[in-house]
Amino acid sequence: MKDFPQVFIMGRQNVGKSTLFNAILKKNASITEDSPGITRDVIKYLVSRPEVNSTFYLCDTPGLDLKNEESLSKDIWDISLSQLKEADIILHVIDVGDLRPYDHELIRLLKKDEVLSQIPVVTLINKVDSEKEDLDLEPFFRLGLNEILPVSGLNKRNLNVLFQKLNLYLPKSDQSPEPAFCKIAILGKPNSGKSSLLNSFLGYARALVSDIPGTTRDSVSEFFLFEGKKIEIVDTAGIRKKTKSEEGVEFYSYRRTLKALEEADLVLLLIDATKGFGEFDKKIFGEIQAMGKPMILVVNKWDLISEKETNTWRDFQRKLEARLPAIQDRPMLSISATDRQRTHKLLSMAISLTEKSRKKITTRALNDWLGKWKGKLKVQKASHRPPKVFYATQVSSNPFRFLFFVNDPKLFPDNILSFYRKNIVEQFDLNGLTVEIELKGRKEGEEAVP
């Protein structure tokens, strides 16, 4: 879905592409490390800056100096190149102090490729930190490049000139991005099929798929239309550890996954059908549950389960529910991301659950419902005073929180709260959503709502 121009940053490894990407965005959106090959997927963000005529997508690509035919390297190259050909402008980054033969290879590619040769290219000579170094660019002018601009991504030098360059090529527009109907995050352990599911939704190879654990390191986001609704889908790095004490790539990948979870309207928790529901799946489930996010438990690779019978799926569900009873309150679906089995149904479920999560229940409807239970709730009286709910109101959705004004919060043990929670879910069709009840003792002289 291409609703705005796309500006691609490309070049070989360790020339400072991700640093420049973050500098333009004014935030650390892409992981930057001295080690080569950190970025493996194309990372894309929508940018609106007052210095630029138009809103545009800024895209950070992996280093393209891949020197072997190993599957992972070839896939990175193929996916990056196919997306690069969708660019409206290419920013080719070269390290001022480290011009290598592969820089020449990329220059030739940009000039000779039938598609790429039609796209405007601005060559950014990176790590030029002073005006004095601007005078040492003669070797780059000999390369026959049309547009050369010395910059420093680290020091944000000459970014204002870069924005002026962009204004030469980007169409002037004051169009604002249409907000997405919902933002869906895909979470799970490594190799559960998250990137395959993203690609299945989009209908093309957007994210890198590999059997190598930890292939996805950044969160990969994309927009698409489904049943007339604009959906943002985010593929996250596989969660391995809950600790935040790690350093390096693992730490930053984990932080970005948590950020994607926090910003999501709904979460798809993927588990591998061939491996079942393990201890770490339970921990990921706990992270999602703690944030109160709407969630669908997605059992992927169901096509690999052989000898299926009538009750195979139901037996599988029962085993999951036995390991973690809280799963019973969440919708569950078996799919095959690679074969696109039931992925359409999964999206329909996600939209329905998102719509349900945004319900606003009026105080009147809530208290009419409460009135039906008046005097019918049988409880063991722990004191001379029975528990009483005077009135209730919804204070938030996603997660749903209800404030109950009561005579004394101490008179409401967990079993009574569970009773009310269960019946709210049934009455107002909130199945599959987190429902919380907060108690507040009635102030002296406060009248009860009839």
Side-chain angles (χ1 to χ4, degrees):
M1 181 178 180
K2 186 180 175 183
D3 46 358
F4 291 95
Q6 298 188 131
V7 177
F8 271 74
I9 300 176
M10 59 86 73
R12 61 174 178 80
Q13 300 177 79
N14 275 30
V15 293
K17 299 185 302 298
S18 295
T19 301
L20 186 64
F21 179 77
N22 290 340
I24 296 173
L25 290 178
K26 297 197 288 189
K27 63 180 179 180
N28 293 326
S30 193
I31 298 174
T32 56
E33 288 278 328
D34 289 336
S35 304
I38 296 301
T39 302
R40 290 174 171 174
D41 284 291
V42 175
I43 312 302
K44 184 183 297 187
Y45 275 79
L46 196 60
V47 181
S48 293
R49 293 195 61 135
E51 305 96 328
V52 183
N53 285 335
S54 174
T55 298
F56 63 95
Y57 287 107
L58 185 67
C59 309
D60 184 22
T61 61
L64 295 180
D65 48 334
L66 304 169
K67 300 175 182 177
N68 58 61
E69 289 298 313
E70 291 180 5
S71 176
L72 186 61
S73 295
K74 186 176 186 305
D75 289 345
I76 291 173
W77 170 266
D78 290 344
I79 291 174
S80 299
L81 191 61
S82 67
Q83 293 186 58
L84 188 64
K85 290 181 178 183
E86 297 294 321
D88 293 277
I89 306 173
I90 293 173
L91 306 179
H92 179 199
V93 183
I94 298 176
D95 186 331
V96 67
D98 192 15
L99 184 62
R100 297 186 185 183
Y102 208 85
D103 293 306
H104 296 271
E105 291 291 328
L106 290 178
I107 291 170
R108 275 193 286 272
L109 173 71
L110 292 171
K111 288 184 175 181
K112 301 296 184 182
D113 184 89
E114 184 178 351
V115 176
L116 295 176
S117 61
Q118 303 303 310
I119 301 171
V121 177
V122 177
T123 304
L124 302 181
I125 311 302
N126 195 26
K127 307 179 185 179
V128 180
D129 298 311
S130 67
E131 291 184 9
K132 182 180 179 181
E133 291 176 284
D134 289 347
L135 304 176
D136 300 326
L137 300 181
E138 181 62 28
F140 301 100
F141 285 103
R142 293 176 190 161
L143 299 176
L145 302 170
N146 293 325
E147 293 277 6
I148 296 178
L149 177 63
V151 299
S152 171
L154 186 62
N155 296 319
K156 302 178 177 58
R157 182 169 180 265
N158 278 347
L159 290 189
N160 59 327
V161 183
L162 172 59
F163 297 144
Q164 292 172 25
K165 287 284 186 185
L166 293 180
N167 284 333
L168 289 175
Y169 297 104
L170 290 176
K172 190 170 184 178
S173 171
D174 57 0
Q175 179 186 357
S176 298
E178 176 192 350
F181 167 76
C182 68
K183 184 173 185 176
I184 300 173
I186 307 173
L187 266 71
K189 292 191 302 187
N191 285 24
S192 56
K194 299 182 299 300
S195 297
S196 294
L197 183 58
L198 174 81
N199 293 341
S200 177
F201 286 155
L202 298 177
Y204 64 92
R206 167 66 175 88
L208 183 65
V209 175
S210 170
D211 291 334
I212 301 172
T215 298
T216 301
R217 289 169 168 172
D218 278 290
S219 293
V220 178
S221 173
E222 194 58 85
F223 294 93
F224 67 100
L225 288 175
F226 179 76
E227 296 181 349
K229 292 180 171 62
K230 183 179 178 182
I231 309 293
E232 182 177 4
I233 189 78
V234 184
D235 174 25
T236 64
I239 299 179
R240 288 185 172 122
K241 298 180 181 179
K242 190 175 179 179
T243 177
K244 295 185 180 181
S245 62
E246 292 185 62
E247 296 182 358
V249 176
E250 287 286 338
F251 171 69
Y252 291 111
S253 293
Y254 179 75
R255 284 185 60 182
R256 281 163 172 74
T257 297
L258 281 186
K259 188 173 186 295
L261 173 57
E262 290 168 358
E263 294 177 348
D265 297 301
L266 180 137
V267 180
L268 303 178
L269 174 56
L270 260 65
I271 67 168
D272 185 333
T274 64
K275 297 179 180 178
F277 198 73
E279 284 301 311
F280 211 78
D281 292 301
K282 289 169 69 173
K283 291 180 180 179
I284 300 173
F285 179 89
E287 293 270 15
I288 302 168
Q289 189 94 321
M291 291 191 189
K293 297 290 182 178
M295 175 200 326
I296 300 174
L297 187 66
V298 184
V299 181
N300 191 27
K301 307 183 185 180
W302 190 248
D303 56 309
L304 301 181
I305 301 297
S306 58
E307 300 179 7
K308 297 187 187 73
E309 298 178 359
T310 304
N311 295 323
T312 301
W313 171 238
R314 184 60 200 141
D315 291 341
F316 190 92
Q317 285 181 293
R318 288 195 182 103
K319 288 180 182 178
L320 294 184
E321 291 166 358
R323 286 191 60 82
L324 189 62
I327 285 177
Q328 298 178 50
D329 298 329
R330 299 290 184 171
M332 193 183 308
L333 184 68
S334 64
I335 69 161
S336 168
T338 54
D339 293 345
R340 303 185 75 176
Q341 292 178 4
R342 289 181 288 280
T343 54
H344 189 282
K345 182 178 180 180
L346 177 58
L347 283 173
S348 294
M349 287 175 63
I351 287 175
S352 176
L353 194 60
T354 299
E355 289 174 336
K356 191 187 294 187
S357 74
R358 294 170 177 171
K359 278 187 177 181
K360 303 292 187 292
I361 302 170
T362 67
T363 300
R364 179 171 180 173
L366 197 56
N367 286 282
D368 284 347
W369 164 79
L370 272 174
K372 294 177 182 179
W373 293 104
K374 209 166 193 178
K376 295 181 181 179
L377 182 60
K378 299 188 185 310
V379 297
Q380 189 173 6
K381 297 179 182 179
S383 70
H384 296 297
R385 292 188 301 158
K388 291 182 181 180
V389 180
F390 298 111
Y391 64 99
T393 187
Q394 180 185 350
V395 293
S396 75
S397 55
N398 199 6
F400 280 91
R401 289 192 176 94
F402 296 94
L403 183 60
F404 278 27
F405 291 83
V406 301
N407 57 340
D408 187 348
K410 295 177 182 176
L411 299 176
F412 288 80
D414 289 343
N415 64 320
I416 294 180
L417 291 178
S418 295
F419 170 86
Y420 278 118
R421 194 179 297 113
K422 178 183 176 183
N423 282 281
I424 285 177
V425 168
E426 291 176 357
Q427 175 69 24
F428 298 104
D429 187 25
L430 303 181
N431 300 83
L433 300 168
T434 299
V435 174
E436 300 172 358
I437 295 175
E438 181 183 345
L439 300 176
K440 184 176 181 181
R442 190 178 66 170
K443 293 179 181 178
E444 194 70 30
E446 189 173 28
E447 294 296 326
V449 173

